[in-house]
Amino acid sequence: MYRGFLCAVIAITLGSGIAFAQEVKIGFAGPFTGPSADSGLAMRQGTQLAIDEVNAKGGVVIGGKHVPIHTFFEDSQGRPEVGVAAAQRLLTRDQVDILVADIFNSQVTLAVMELAGTFDKFMMSGQPVSDEIPKKIKSNPQKYKNFWKPGYSSSGYAQTVLGTVTSLAAAGKLKIKKKTFAFLIEDNDAGRGTSIAVRAKLEENGWTHVGTEVVPNGYSDFYPQLSKYRNDPPDIFLTLFTAPNSGAALVKQIKEQDFATFHFAMFFPTRPEFYQAAGDAAEGLVWAPLFFDAVHNPTQRALADRIRQTFNVPANADHALAYCITAMLLDNISRAGTVAPDKLSEVFATTDFSCAVGRWRFNREGHDAVTGADGIPMPAAQVQGGANYVIWPPSVATSDYKPPR
């Protein structure tokens, strides 16, 4: 009888994953060195703050008991092959219960996703935006049944661009001559994926694409690209970089050349380093997404204060998004009461979690976070007097659009 009872206990313990675990181990891979390191390190800090706050209360709830979280971080350098190796170390050497990879780069995430067919673990990305991630999940739902994408999306950028431009044109604040647009983007999955999504949305609404220029990460000499459009500038000039120095160099060169077009920037103005390097050249820039506004939002200001007090650095959007994504993950672990991947995925499918920067819910088929008014907001902002103000959508605007002088 004793042997039978012991075998039953062992079976229950193994089947539940960590029925009597002493800790929950979560592994994170991200760009802690390389061109995207500023974002990667900020996201690491935001992640750690969320985990420290939950651990201070005893940890996550597993089997009715509080269990502390133990974190493991590996550097992906923003490179797919390095990211895959980092993820494999976390899964094999460190034996993590949950893998978050990549926390920032879409191209690394798409590579790491292939491990989902080998390791029976719950996996998710962090901030990666590429719509190729949910497309990949939809293409093989069995293989990727336990992989989720909690960051905002390329398609969210598309809706924000169209909504902003349409609203400004209707109000007579933006003059549209030919309904033409062009891209200048970074050579990665975020840049390519976002340009594809934005192009499709604009073309659906009668706009004409006149060109896409692609440059390496960290690129800073944009005179050849700008000269291509100087004599016949598009109505909208759309740019996306993850490296803030690229964005700073671009806006300076646009100002120097008096490049007359409506410039809509994506992502790089979320980074404080951009404003430090760009100086006055950033004035009047329209960009997205301003989902973290510690100046005008009291809840976000409180989070910014905690980040500054903990790490002695000014808070930015990367900190805030990582904090909220991690807080949502930890809440879902407690709701599931286990780290068993299938059970966690069931809970993720029913997520309705609110945090400082938005509300987390997921699309069932692509496992991607809902963006927009009912999810993670992606407002458009403008730099006015050295500060950022939301100009679209009107329901949350903190200022009106002011045409650059």
Side-chain angles (χ1 to χ4, degrees), residues 47 62 144 186 197 281 294 318 342 389:
T47 295
I62 300 293
Y144 302 115
E186 199 171 74
D318 291 323
D342 288 344
Y389 294 87

Side-chain angles (χ1 to χ4, degrees), residues 24-49:
V24 169
K25 297 192 289 186
I26 307 178
F28 300 85
F32 307 130
T33 61
S36 303
D38 288 337
S39 288
L41 293 170
M43 292 199 72
R44 177 171 179 166
Q45 291 173 334
T47 295
Q48 194 63 58
L49 178 63

